[in-house]
Amino acid sequence: MADDYYKILGVTKEASEEEIKKAYRRLAHKYHPDKSGGDGERFKKINEAYQVLSNKEKRSQYDRFGRVFSEGGGFSAEGGPASGWGGFPGFNWSSDFGDEMFDWGDVFDSFFSQFKGGVRRQTYTAGSDVEVRQEITLEEAFRGLRKKISFRTNLACKECGGLGYDKAKGLISCSVCQGRGEIKEQKKTFFGNFAQIKTCPTCFGRGEMPNSSCPVCGGVGRISGLREVSINVNAGVEDGQLIKVPGAGEDGERGGKAGDLYVVINVKSHPIFSRQRNDLFITVETRLTDAMLGKEIKFKDISGEHFAVRVPPDFDFKEKLRVPERGMPVFGMSGKRGDLYVSFSLKTPKRLSVKAKKLLEDLDKEL
């Protein structure tokens, strides 16, 4: 039975694109194999589910048929014929014939490759995407900054330029596949014998072998190392926001395409201000008499700028005083800021003199 992608991500079938994206980020971070307690197999399924449900066309096919079809139609991306293919609706396709197991995807892929002229396939193992977390302060999120980060990953070998061999000594034709990059295997199936075409495991589909493999990377073309990347963090960035740096992830094997880098921004909590999207919240201590007399109450905003507010008449101290354009910058909108909301903590004297008490009693009568 095919996996339930909605169940894997923990969302309903009515989930929006944003809900699916949030569920993926949360689960991918939790089960990433590089993390303590990570689960490589579950992480793989989470990625598979997201690749389908984040694509409108694939999601539509999945919702209708319970699986996704390849561009050629008729065959599912899960490696088997589509439901009801070939006039056999509901037929229980099985890949178990005696003790021999085989992959339907390989069978039909090799079948149609004969009509494509048997073009040699070259395999270059691409690098994986990398996710790192970067913590910044609320002040840095307000100003924006350029940040240099470093992380350990697989980098292209400098000795061989990422090729995996000595370019000066050249290449020779692979003796196993005779330079085709593919080998033929016979498979016994329900329909009879099929000749399967598979990538040559000796030359990895290239059809050529080096005369001299790189002694540093062992012919892989990459080694473990520390990568440094500078990123721009724009003003107004929010906690949990992703920054994508194309091609800055893990380098591929033997010149394969590099993966992308995803930087998750974590904005540290602030001792004075709290944040909700673009708005900031602060509690300011003031004397009751200053508030009642409408005196200026001075403090700093998140930029460090000094300013003052006055408590308006008839103000309900259970409410918050809104100060426009004193919050965080609105991400991607230059010059626009959110609002600041001020709560007042009224400070009362510990002791009242006889004179002060008499004044308050007179004030109470007056009010």
Side-chain angles (χ1 to χ4, degrees):
M1 181 180 290
D3 290 323
D4 185 335
Y5 291 151
Y6 290 102
K7 187 174 181 181
I8 289 173
L9 294 183
V11 297
T12 65
K13 287 190 175 182
E14 293 74 30
S16 65
E17 291 182 17
E18 186 62 27
E19 288 173 330
I20 289 172
K21 186 183 294 185
K22 286 182 179 179
Y24 165 71
R25 288 177 184 170
R26 177 175 55 79
L27 293 171
H29 174 62
K30 182 177 180 181
Y31 293 105
H32 195 287
D34 290 343
K35 289 179 64 65
S36 176
D39 187 330
E41 194 60 36
R42 189 161 185 178
F43 181 76
K44 181 179 178 182
K45 287 183 178 292
I46 291 166
N47 270 299
E48 180 183 324
Y50 179 68
Q51 291 301 318
V52 172
L53 298 185
S54 63
N55 182 293
K56 289 183 179 179
E57 184 178 342
K58 290 181 179 179
R59 184 178 179 181
S60 177
Q61 290 181 11
Y62 179 75
D63 287 343
R64 291 181 63 192
F65 306 106
R67 59 181 66 200
V68 178
F69 298 90
S70 64
E71 291 180 357
F75 299 96
S76 71
E78 296 175 17
S83 176
W85 179 81
F88 296 94
F91 187 88
N92 182 23
W93 297 90
S94 172
S95 59
D96 189 353
F97 293 88
D99 293 328
E100 184 176 15
M101 300 288 290
F102 68 97
D103 190 334
W104 278 105
D106 287 338
V107 172
F108 290 104
D109 184 59
S110 63
F111 180 81
F112 283 104
S113 71
Q114 307 304 317
F115 294 95
K116 296 177 183 177
V119 179
R120 187 184 74 193
R121 298 172 293 178
Q122 291 197 352
T123 300
Y124 302 88
T125 303
S128 299
D129 293 340
V130 174
E131 180 184 296
V132 298
R133 292 186 170 269
Q134 180 61 49
E135 192 173 64
I136 63 174
T137 65
L138 188 62
E139 286 84 358
E140 288 174 327
F142 174 83
R143 295 189 302 268
L145 73 157
R146 185 164 179 80
K147 191 88 171 176
K148 182 177 285 187
I149 60 175
S150 60
F151 54 95
R152 184 161 292 278
T153 187
N154 287 317
L155 307 177
C157 176
K158 292 182 178 180
E159 180 71 19
C160 62
L163 296 175
Y165 63 92
D166 187 341
K167 191 174 181 180
K169 294 183 180 180
L171 302 165
I172 58 172
S173 179
C174 176
S175 59
V176 175
C177 64
Q178 307 303 315
R180 289 180 54 83
E182 299 172 331
I183 58 173
K184 184 187 291 186
E185 287 186 355
Q186 295 290 332
K187 283 288 183 180
K188 186 179 180 182
T189 75
F190 180 78
F191 299 105
N193 292 330
F194 276 86
Q196 288 185 263
I197 307 300
K198 288 192 172 183
T199 300
C200 177
T202 303
C203 65
F204 304 100
R206 304 185 70 168
E208 297 173 313
M209 292 290 293
N211 282 309
S212 176
S213 293
C214 175
V216 176
C217 65
V220 179
R222 63 184 187 182
I223 57 175
S224 178
L226 199 65
R227 168 158 281 163
E228 289 191 347
V229 178
S230 292
I231 60 170
N232 286 319
V233 182
N234 293 332
V237 65
E238 294 187 42
D239 184 59
Q241 197 162 332
L242 274 176
I243 297 174
K244 179 182 177 181
V245 187
E250 181 187 53
D251 285 331
E253 293 182 358
R254 304 176 186 88
K257 182 180 177 182
D260 299 327
L261 170 65
Y262 291 89
V263 183
V264 182
I265 299 298
N266 290 138
V267 182
K268 292 195 292 186
S269 59
H270 197 275
I272 298 174
F273 296 96
S274 60
R275 180 184 184 182
Q276 290 182 18
R277 299 301 302 269
N278 303 315
D279 296 330
L280 292 176
F281 298 80
I282 188 173
T283 299
V284 177
E285 187 179 79
T286 185
R287 292 189 303 178
L288 177 61
T289 52
D290 289 344
M292 294 182 67
L293 293 172
K295 291 185 178 181
E296 286 190 339
I297 302 169
K298 298 179 180 180
F299 55 97
K300 293 180 183 179
D301 72 359
I302 187 63
S303 69
E305 181 182 349
H306 288 271
F307 75 106
V309 297
R310 298 176 190 269
V311 178
D314 298 327
F315 180 75
D316 185 349
F317 285 94
K318 292 180 182 178
E319 303 295 329
K320 297 176 177 64
L321 179 64
R322 175 176 170 266
V323 185
E325 298 287 321
R326 285 282 181 177
M328 294 293 289
V330 179
F331 187 82
M333 298 180 67
S334 179
K336 186 171 178 58
R337 289 174 63 177
D339 299 330
L340 174 65
Y341 289 86
V342 184
S343 297
F344 294 100
S345 173
L346 297 177
K347 184 179 180 182
T348 57
K350 292 182 179 179
R351 290 196 189 121
L352 286 174
S353 65
V354 174
K355 183 179 178 180
K357 190 172 182 181
K358 179 69 170 58
L359 287 171
L360 284 175
E361 288 173 348
D362 291 342
L363 177 62
D364 183 54
K365 292 176 183 178
E366 181 69 24
L367 294 176

